Amino acid sequence: MLDLFNGRRGHPWLRLFVGIGIVLLAVGLTLYHLRWFRSAIQGPVPVTLADVNKTTDPQSLPNPWVSFTFDHAIDTGIVMNATKAGAVVVRSRYLLILVGDRWLISDVPSGFAGNEIVGYLDTWSSPLSRKMIEQVKAKFPDRNIFPYQLNAQYDYKGQCFSMMGIAAFIYLSGFAVIGFAISDFRKINQIADQMDFFE
C-alpha cells in the first residue's frame, strides 16, 4: 500500500540499507582506484632512463604515470587497428625503447614522433596485450625485453576522471536514497505523534 508521503512505498528501513549499500560500493570503488586517482591528479612524474631501468615492479611505484626522454627506439612495425565509421584505421603502434641494456615495449599513438614520451608503466595482462607482447618478442628474439611495458596511447587522465564521475554519481545516488529513507522516518514519526495527539 502506498504511504502518505511522496507516493513511495513504505519501506524506509529497506531504503536505508540499500542506500548504505550503494555508498559502500562507491567507497570500495574509490579505494580500489585510489592510486590511479592520486596519480592522475598529481600528473605524470618526470623520471630518467636510469629510474625506469631500476624499477622491478611498476606496482611499487607511488605514481606509475611517468614521462621521460629516450635516446634510441625501434619501430617494431606491429600496430593495433581499430574500426571507426566502418573503416579500419591504425589506433597505435609498438616501439621498443632502449633503457640501459634492455628494451621496453611501448604502445604509442599512431602519429607519435620525437623522443619524449608520457605513459604509464604496467604489466600487461589482458589476452590481447599478451598476444602483442608475444608478437614483439617473436619478431625480436635477440632483444632483452623488460617484464613490464609502457602504455602511452591510453588516455590516462581522461579515463580516470570518467571513473571519478561514475564514483561521484554512485555516491550521490546512495546519499539520495539514504536521504529519502531519513525523510520517510521523520514523516512516520510525525504521523505517529499526530496519532498520539488524537488519542
Side-chain angles (χ1 to χ4, degrees):
M1 186 176 73
L2 291 178
D3 58 23
L4 299 177
F5 37 91
N6 299 328
R8 298 192 296 272
R9 292 189 178 277
H11 302 290
W13 279 109
L14 177 60
R15 193 172 294 117
L16 178 64
F17 290 139
V18 169
I20 292 173
I22 293 173
V23 171
L24 290 176
L25 174 65
V27 171
L29 185 66
T30 302
L31 293 176
Y32 182 78
H33 293 294
L34 187 58
R35 181 167 172 262
W36 184 20
F37 294 163
R38 285 177 176 171
S39 64
I41 292 172
Q42 179 184 359
V45 177
V47 297
T48 65
L49 290 177
D51 293 328
V52 177
N53 195 26
K54 70 182 181 183
T55 300
T56 57
D57 181 7
Q59 291 298 319
S60 66
L61 296 173
N63 186 347
W65 195 23
V66 299
S67 64
F68 61 88
T69 301
F70 58 88
D71 299 318
H72 184 58
I74 298 173
D75 191 332
T76 65
I78 298 172
V79 300
M80 176 69 72
N81 292 324
T83 302
K84 290 186 177 180
V88 177
V89 297
V90 177
R91 188 207 71 176
S92 63
R93 54 196 178 93
Y94 291 83
L95 303 181
L96 280 175
I97 296 176
L98 181 61
V99 181
D101 61 349
R102 294 184 291 175
W103 297 83
L104 180 66
I105 298 177
S106 305
D107 185 7
V108 302
S110 58
F112 175 81
N115 67 338
E116 295 182 1
I117 194 165
V118 178
Y120 74 97
L121 295 169
D122 194 15
T123 302
W124 296 346
S125 58
S126 72
L128 181 58
S129 295
R130 297 304 306 175
K131 179 180 178 182
M132 303 310 293
I133 292 172
E134 293 306 317
Q135 285 186 25
V136 173
K137 287 182 176 181
K139 191 170 182 179
F140 299 90
D142 58 331
R143 309 287 175 172
N144 184 11
I145 294 177
F146 275 84
Y148 55 85
Q149 296 76 39
L150 177 76
N151 192 328
Q153 187 276 332
Y154 183 74
D155 184 7
Y156 192 85
K157 195 169 196 174
Q159 293 296 325
C160 181
F161 283 173
S162 296
M163 180 59 69
M164 287 182 179
I166 292 172
F169 176 77
I170 296 174
Y171 273 113
L172 289 174
S173 299
F175 285 125
V177 174
I178 291 173
F180 283 134
I182 293 173
S183 174
D184 290 350
F185 280 123
R186 288 175 178 172
K187 289 174 182 177
I188 288 173
N189 289 335
Q190 289 175 359
I191 293 172
D193 290 341
Q194 291 174 3
M195 293 177 64
D196 290 341
F197 175 79
F198 287 112
E199 289 180 358

